Amino acid sequence: MIRFKIWIGLVAFAINGFACTKKSSPVVVPAEVAITSSAPANPVLQGLPTNPQLRIGISIPVGNAEINYRKIKCRINPEALNAIQKLDVFMPNTQSFAATNSIASIIPSGTDFEIPVDLHLGPGNYYIWISVVIKSDADINASVELHCTEMVDAVNKSVSITELANSVYKKQVGCAIRKGGDNGIDTYRIPGLITTDKGTLIAVYDARYNSSADLPANIDVGLSRSTDGGKTWETMKIIMDMGPPQDQNGVGDPSVLFDPVTQKIWVAALWSKGNHSISGSGPGLSPDQTGQLVLVSSSDDGLSWSAPFSITPQVKDPTWNILFQGPGRGIAMEDGKIVFPAQYWTAANTPYSSLVYSSDHGASWQRGGTGAKSNTTESQLVETTPGTLMLNMRDNRGSFRSVATTTNMGSSWTEHATSYNTLPDPVCMGSLIKAKVNVNGTLKDVLFFSNPNSATGRYNITIKASLDLGQTWLPANQLLIDERQCYGYSCLTKVDDNTIAILYEGTKDLYFVKIPVSTIIK
């Protein structure tokens, strides 16, 4: 009996001991709240209602109590204070930027400032976007650099914000020189850009009235002009309009060049009378048979323009389906020739990149012998050394740009060592210029190239520099301008010895940004 009682007692002790142990187990402490910031690569542009500047990510683990955040501590560079009209703060239900669920709007009071908020956040992941509105008179040489350093809650507890790698906190100020809807025009596309000897910036583009669709459509060639380095732009003027019926008489895909000998500006474009763009054109030379390569010119620095006239009978092989310019810009050679990149489509509908040129400053024109490579279309060109032209081509095979050179104005071509292996491209237009710029204190001829730096999609608008006239394109000498999805076309020009400018497509808009050479060439 005694043994039985002892056994019962031991069992009871074990049970009670287990119960006591269970009740006194350690309390699980919730994980720390994590707050980070990141900044996408994009300029901040005059004329746009939103410019994504910075994203804050807040991760509150399961088990945490609700947190009431009351302010965000921030720091901004001094020159941005004169450029910013206001900061808008949004809290969309997504990592991607969206101007939804506005939670604050402020004007920074100094380089160190606070954004008041009233956020009650339970466990979960949250995203706060800060967007910038730029003043209409902001200096487009300025930059905006915003950092968010701490989140402060209702009991004045601060949590540091960790900045993520590969973020672009410093953003260049630029301007949207044309926005979809301006002047009742649905879409602006196909940028061309040059600088005249007076320093005037001449921008040309498609004014696509009814939609973003290509020719044949109601499209005219528009022009914007700036005499102060892109700070302000004159009222848009239409410089090519082929008359009614507008939807059957479009003209577009412009290319622009400046002739320093005659001081004349030339613009080339494709005129589609009826359905005579690429798909609707055929053999022949007349506007009723094939698309027309038409020109206009200005002898007064872009203030007034001649009537359009066609050079198709001079440059097109009658057996081809179509011949027209490569959009963007042309060049003037050292021997005085003026040259536009071109493309033609054979009777078998195979495209070739090529060129057209004039040896007498536009009095007459001729084509450049033969095509550089089959299945290539939109191209840009430079004169690398006297008499040698380099043609940089959109290749319909995809993945890369194709490159060829000629020393006889296109009668024959040599494929370049960088052809179809060096410059990624998603089958899009790209820009190529040669400019004498300041490189580490010395003026040097540099090739600059821009395109969507991707083999798979139109995003990551990037400027690259080659210090050996296109023999190599080193990764160190490139700058991501805008990472966002876009239509992808761009055009470069030299502004001065220290500055390059780019005009590029957003979605229905055209954006202008000036870039210090020192930020491209490291």
Side-chain angles (χ1 to χ4, degrees), residues 258-288:
F258 176 71
D259 185 344
V261 175
T262 62
Q263 309 288 295
K264 185 175 284 190
I265 306 167
W266 292 90
V267 176
L270 172 62
W271 170 32
S272 172
K273 182 183 179 185
N275 183 21
H276 289 113
S277 184
I278 293 173
S279 61
S281 289
L285 299 174
S286 77
D288 294 315

Side-chain angles (χ1 to χ4, degrees), residues 64 169 245 328 490 493 514:
N64 280 63
Y169 291 96
S490 61
T493 194
K514 293 167 68 175

Side-chain angles (χ1 to χ4, degrees), residues 1-14:
M1 187 68 178
I2 294 174
R3 289 180 180 176
F4 177 75
K5 289 182 178 179
I6 292 172
W7 181 82
I8 291 294
L10 291 172
V11 171
F13 176 80

Side-chain angles (χ1 to χ4, degrees), residues 106-387:
I106 71 161
I107 300 171
S109 56
T111 55
D112 292 285
F113 63 97
E114 296 175 349
I115 301 174
V117 295
D118 186 13
L119 303 176
H120 297 262
L121 306 181
N125 296 315
Y126 305 90
Y127 301 97
I128 297 171
W129 277 95
I130 300 178
S131 174
V132 175
V133 178
I134 299 298
K135 293 177 181 177
S136 60
D137 61 351
D139 181 1
I140 62 169
N141 297 308
S143 62
V144 175
E145 184 173 357
L146 174 68
H147 297 270
C148 292
T149 57
E150 295 177 65
M151 295 280 293
V152 183
D153 66 17
V155 296
N156 215 34
K157 179 183 177 182
S158 295
V159 178
S160 296
I161 300 175
T162 301
E163 295 188 341
L164 299 180
N166 301 317
S167 292
V168 182
Y169 291 96
K170 185 176 182 180
K171 303 184 190 301
Q172 188 70 35
V173 173
C175 63
I177 71 166
R178 296 274 80 191
K179 303 186 299 295
D182 287 352
N183 296 91
I185 295 167
D186 182 86
T187 300
Y188 294 91
R189 283 211 60 193
I190 324 296
L193 182 67
I194 59 162
T195 308
T196 72
D197 65 344
K198 291 182 173 61
T200 302
L201 293 169
I202 301 291
V204 295
Y205 41 80
D206 277 9
R208 300 189 173 189
Y209 289 89
N210 300 326
S211 73
S212 61
D214 296 334
L215 291 168
N218 185 6
I219 301 173
D220 291 335
V221 173
L223 174 140
S224 294
R225 182 175 180 269
S226 174
T227 58
D228 56 12
K231 181 178 180 180
T232 61
W233 294 82
E234 297 171 3
T235 301
M236 179 191 72
K237 64 177 63 176
I238 298 298
I239 62 169
M240 283 193 187
D241 179 353
M242 305 309 290
Q246 299 292 349
D247 60 344
Q248 294 294 312
N249 224 16
V251 59
D253 281 16
S255 188
V256 58
L257 69 78
F258 176 71
D259 185 344
V261 175
T262 62
Q263 309 288 295
K264 185 175 284 190
I265 306 167
W266 292 90
V267 176
L270 172 62
W271 170 32
S272 172
K273 182 183 179 185
N275 183 21
H276 289 113
S277 184
I278 293 173
S279 61
S281 289
L285 299 174
S286 77
D288 294 315
Q289 296 172 309
T290 188
Q292 300 291 295
L293 200 173
V294 292
L295 301 178
V296 294
S297 63
S298 171
S299 298
D300 55 9
D301 207 44
L303 292 173
S304 62
W305 292 83
S306 69
F309 65 95
S310 174
I311 62 169
T312 295
Q314 299 179 56
V315 296
K316 180 177 182 280
D317 183 325
T319 66
W320 296 341
N321 284 347
I322 194 171
L323 179 146
F324 62 106
Q325 72 291 332
R329 58 180 289 163
I331 66 168
M333 296 179 65
E334 290 193 20
D335 66 1
K337 295 185 185 73
I338 52 176
V339 190
F340 280 112
Q343 56 184 299
Y344 65 84
W345 297 63
T346 67
N349 221 32
T350 301
Y352 290 82
S353 294
S354 187
L355 58 88
V356 297
Y357 67 97
S358 173
S359 298
D360 51 18
H361 303 288
S364 62
W365 293 83
Q366 54 191 304
R367 65 174 178 269
T370 185
K373 184 179 181 181
S374 68
N375 214 15
T376 59
T377 56
E378 296 166 329
S379 61
Q380 293 284 265
L381 51 79
V382 293
E383 186 180 22
T384 53
T385 57

